[in-house]
Amino acid sequence: MTETTHLQITPPGDEAQPRSPEYRLAADALRGLRQDLFHDAFAYRLLPRMRVGGPLTRRLPGRLRDFATWTPHAVICAAALLALTAATADEGFALLLGLLAVVPVLLTVVRPVGAFWASMAATPLALPFGDPWGDWPWLPGSFACHLTVLTVVAVRTRPRAAAWMWTLTAVYGVLADTLFGSGRHGTNTGPMLVVSAFVLLAVTVWHIRRHAEQEVTAQQTVTAHERSRRTLLEERTTIARELHDVVAHHMSVVAIQAEAAPYRVENPPPELEKAFATIRENAVAALTELRRVLGVVRAEDYEAPDAPQPTLADLEGLLANVREAGLGVEKVVTGAVRELPQGVELSAYRIVQEALSNTLRHAPGASARVEIGYVLGGLGLRIVNGPPPNPSLIKPSPGAGHGITGMRERVTMLNGEMTAGRTDDGGYEVAVFLPVALPDEDDA
């Protein structure tokens, strides 16, 4: 059996040649022309109603505001009437010329690209019915119609489509003047191209500015979201740092007590010694893991505070500082005062501190009241302030606005409940309940 291998040799002339930059530029241009003015040229695209959230329209009464949404449609109808007036100025075929001038303008409401082609077709169709010694190659009605259509379609599409429409308009004007305008006294191709160029340039600038504003708005939204998220993470990091020492202290106490417990019992059984050794090993392991995990949220230059973390017992010092800042604050304590877990004490102190700081920032000159209630099963906090006596003195505070978020994070961490909002008299109220487990009677 003999195998034969056939080699196919491509002739040198059939090799694929790389396209030149000029060819690619022309191909891209034709592709853009086909996409903007030929693909779905007569697609139905209803002109949307205008939004009424602007600085002027939002001040209108309700009924006038509803009518204001139809402003774009009213402007197009007014332009159609103007084109109709210009077209019917000539006697003879006024009705036909009026239709050829009005239909393309009204078509921009539902089929913008199709309206351009309708205007291009209506312009030469109107010439035989107009004044043979009049304007060329655009009759008065055709001039107003085509200029209106160019403007509306440019607003409803994009700048590239506007450039293509102006180019085709120029091609039509040059061909009409060259092939059929030799016996005419004058032509209005120049005025059409100059006026339409300025109009389309203004529309293009408006498009660019609108697109830039949309990008800036989107970027501001993303930035605000990222800033809020970063602030939330920083608040959680601060809480973790503050509670790290509290939890680490308690775990260290558990490990030390588990190690010392067997020596407090005379001749402890081996099972008891083994149980306490296991407790100590688990406590040390838990403390190691805790430090390893929470070490991630500590900055490299972060140092643990030398002073102990504040508690509700230190609240008088905080209130004294606030009073020196000009805020009249009153403290009311109800219930039997008792020692609470250090994490609850710290969080309660920080919540009162943040609430009073917000009062100083957003209600200068107002009075505040701090209510602390030691109730069965938890601790209740209520910080309320009155309305600012002079709202004009309130100045914007850059970077503020996340204090409530920090409070909620602390309350959520302790499985508590919190409400915050304005009062009926124009002040502000923050109400918090932090649950505290009751000690067992056997441990008392």
Side-chain angles (χ1 to χ4, degrees):
M1 182 178 182
T2 303
E3 294 183 359
T4 304
T5 302
H6 297 277
L7 298 178
Q8 184 177 358
I9 301 175
T10 304
D14 296 339
E15 294 180 357
Q17 298 292 335
R19 302 297 187 183
S20 63
E22 294 79 5
Y23 177 86
R24 290 197 297 267
L25 182 62
D28 293 339
L30 293 177
R31 190 180 304 110
L33 173 63
R34 183 172 62 253
Q35 181 180 358
D36 292 336
L37 297 183
F38 288 95
H39 182 67
D40 291 337
F42 289 89
Y44 182 80
R45 293 175 53 195
L46 180 63
L47 179 65
R49 297 168 64 179
M50 186 180 70
R51 291 181 295 179
V52 291
L56 296 178
T57 54
R58 71 162 62 103
R59 300 179 181 179
L60 297 175
R63 191 168 184 82
L64 290 179
R65 192 182 301 116
D66 294 338
F67 287 125
T69 59
W70 297 101
T71 301
H73 305 76
V75 171
I76 292 178
C77 291
L81 290 177
L82 181 62
L84 178 63
T85 302
T88 55
D90 295 334
E91 299 179 358
F93 299 93
L95 179 59
L96 179 59
L97 293 176
L99 288 176
L100 292 176
V102 169
V103 171
V105 176
L106 296 180
L107 195 61
T108 58
V109 178
V110 290
R111 306 181 191 277
V113 179
F116 167 74
W117 290 114
S119 178
M120 289 292 293
T123 298
L125 289 178
L127 289 176
F129 305 99
D131 185 3
W133 303 104
D135 296 332
W136 176 273
W138 279 278
L139 297 180
S142 301
F143 192 98
C145 168
H146 195 66
L147 189 60
T148 302
V149 169
L150 286 178
T151 305
V152 176
V153 177
V155 171
R156 298 200 59 191
T157 55
R158 51 183 176 177
R160 190 176 69 179
W164 279 119
M165 290 188 298
W166 187 88
T167 302
L168 293 178
T169 301
V171 170
Y172 166 77
V174 171
L175 290 179
D177 291 341
T178 303
L179 299 180
F180 305 101
S182 57
R184 302 286 176 174
H185 296 288
T187 175
N188 56 5
T189 298
M192 167 61 76
L193 296 182
V194 172
V195 174
S196 61
F198 278 107
V199 171
L200 295 181
L201 180 61
V203 173
T204 301
V205 172
W206 174 79
H207 269 296
I208 295 174
R209 180 178 178 181
R210 182 184 180 188
H211 182 67
E213 289 178 350
Q214 291 176 349
E215 288 187 348
V216 170
T217 302
Q219 187 62 35
Q220 288 178 346
T221 303
V222 173
T223 302
H225 176 73
E226 291 297 329
R227 186 185 299 114
S228 177
R229 183 173 177 270
R230 184 175 64 252
T231 303
L232 180 61
L233 293 177
E234 290 176 355
E235 186 64 31
R236 290 180 177 178
T237 302
T238 302
I239 296 173
R241 289 172 178 173
E242 292 177 347
L243 293 182
H244 171 267
D245 296 333
V246 176
V247 179
H249 169 73
H250 288 297
M251 294 301 297
S252 299
V253 171
V254 170
I256 294 173
Q257 289 180 347
E259 184 178 8
Y263 300 101
R264 296 184 179 183
V265 180
E266 187 176 355
N267 298 323
E271 293 81 2
L272 183 60
E273 292 182 354
K274 183 177 180 181
F276 279 114
T278 303
I279 293 174
R280 182 183 181 280
E281 291 176 359
N282 290 334
V284 172
L287 184 60
T288 303
E289 291 298 326
L290 176 66
R291 288 173 176 169
R292 182 180 303 157
V293 173
L294 294 184
V296 177
V297 299
R298 287 186 183 271
E300 294 181 359
D301 56 350
Y302 175 79
E303 296 180 0
D306 297 332
Q309 296 292 346
T311 63
L312 290 177
D314 305 313
L315 202 57
E316 285 298 336
L318 172 64
L319 299 182
N321 293 334
V322 172
R323 292 189 183 102
E324 292 179 359
L327 176 64
V329 58
E330 175 189 4
K331 185 182 79 168
V332 178
V333 180
T334 58
V337 179
R338 64 182 185 275
E339 185 178 356
L340 301 175
Q342 191 171 356
V344 176
E345 294 264 357
L346 173 62
S347 295
Y349 180 91
R350 294 302 187 195
I351 290 172
V352 175
Q353 184 182 38
E354 184 62 36
L356 294 179
S357 298
N358 288 342
T359 302
L360 286 172
R361 185 182 303 115
H362 301 292
S367 59
R369 179 185 176 91
V370 178
E371 300 178 2
I372 304 175
Y374 292 85
V375 297
L376 187 65
L379 175 70
L381 298 174
R382 181 174 179 267
I383 305 95
V384 59
N385 63 267
N390 192 354
S392 61
L393 297 178
I394 302 176
K395 298 180 180 180
S397 180
H402 300 284
I404 299 296
T405 302
M407 297 183 201
R408 293 191 186 278
E409 285 294 318
R410 294 181 182 274
V411 173
T412 303
M413 177 187 61
L414 297 175
N415 295 324
E417 298 178 358
M418 172 181 167
T419 58
R422 298 207 170 271
T423 58
D424 296 335
D425 60 352
Y428 203 84
E429 178 187 18
V430 176
V432 175
F433 177 76
L434 302 177
V436 178
L438 295 175
D440 297 334
E441 295 183 358
D442 296 339
D443 298 339

